[in-house]
Amino acid sequence: MPSTRKEPEPALAAPGLIGPFSIEKPPGIGPRSARRSRARSYRHVHLEVDLAPQPRDPKGVPALVRLSGLLKERRIVEQGTLIVLAAATLHALSARRFRRVDHWEVSPGGWLPPPRPSESPDGSEPVGDLIEALEGGGWEPVAIARSFSVRVSDLSGGRVDVTIRRIHRERRHALSLDLWGSWTKATVKDLQGSLAERLPVDQVTMTKFQYE
């Protein structure tokens, strides 16, 4: 008796999300596979974000305006752009309820002072936490930093690992995000939109994903 052919699983390292507001269908075979892919949730997604050279104007976001002013006072220019982009990323993640900072550091330079525990059930505002960390001893490592890494989490078991790095030869920056927990195409797209509102996003590409 011939064995039943098992339908192949979608590839786990193929591009799936390209451009500022579009998500491509993960690879599959036939309508049944397409329906199954749409219904399944991700437990891990890796996004690569290409950024334009100039950050967005922080006008309208008081915490970002304050941070930009502090960086100018300290005359931190090139590394200042890195920190402004990191703060804008934190603000975008905060809008999706990722507000608790579990860890952050710059390289070279090492760990930044950790945020004070928040009494709010939703956590504090990460950009405000970043300003406090800088004023609490973080200026010196930031002044030589080439990358900024942070892990933020929500209250539902989800977390996001972020690395933003300066590409020296191209005089621009790139952003990598690892999304952990339970994610759908819709929630990934919502996060992408939140980033695009605050960052000079050229393109977003999903380079890896893993289903639950």
Side-chain angles (χ1 to χ4, degrees), residues 5-43:
R5 184 186 176 196
K6 184 179 178 181
E7 190 172 328
E9 290 284 335
L12 300 184
L17 182 142
I18 298 175
F21 295 101
S22 63
I23 296 181
E24 290 187 347
K25 295 178 182 177
I29 298 177
R32 179 184 171 190
S33 179
R35 287 195 301 271
R36 183 179 61 182
S37 296
R38 285 195 295 269
R40 296 177 72 180
S41 297
Y42 304 113
R43 63 180 176 183

Side-chain angles (χ1 to χ4, degrees), residues 139-155:
W139 288 114
E140 185 174 346
V142 159
I144 60 172
R146 292 191 298 271
S147 70
F148 178 98
S149 300
V150 61
R151 169 175 289 180
V152 291
S153 55
D154 61 9
L155 299 179

Side-chain angles (χ1 to χ4, degrees), residues 55-69:
R56 287 186 179 274
D57 188 340
K59 183 179 179 181
V61 183
L64 294 179
V65 172
R66 181 185 172 198
L67 177 61
S68 296

Side-chain angles (χ1 to χ4, degrees), residues 78-93:
E78 192 166 5
Q79 289 82 0
T81 300
L82 171 71
I83 298 304
V84 168
L85 291 171
T89 303
L90 288 170
H91 195 259
L93 292 168

Side-chain angles (χ1 to χ4, degrees), residues 1 12 31 47 59 93 109 113 129 134 167 173 184 195 201 207:
M1 180 176 177
L12 300 184
L47 302 177
K59 183 179 179 181
L93 292 168
D129 291 336
L134 294 175
I167 305 173
H173 295 78
T184 64
L195 292 169
V201 174
T207 60

Side-chain angles (χ1 to χ4, degrees), residues 101-171:
V101 176
D102 299 320
H103 164 81
W104 50 19
E105 63 181 293
V106 292
S107 179
W111 288 25
L112 296 176
R116 292 180 297 178
S118 172
E119 297 180 359
S120 169
D122 290 332
S124 57
E125 169 53 56
V127 179
D129 291 336
L130 178 58
I131 292 173
E132 288 189 6
L134 294 175
E135 294 179 332
W139 288 114
E140 185 174 346
V142 159
I144 60 172
R146 292 191 298 271
S147 70
F148 178 98
S149 300
V150 61
R151 169 175 289 180
V152 291
S153 55
D154 61 9
L155 299 179
S156 304
R159 72 179 193 270
V160 180
D161 292 330
V162 176
T163 298
I164 183 165
R165 59 198 179 277
R166 179 163 52 94
I167 305 173
H168 183 69
R169 291 182 180 179
E170 299 181 19
R171 296 184 177 275

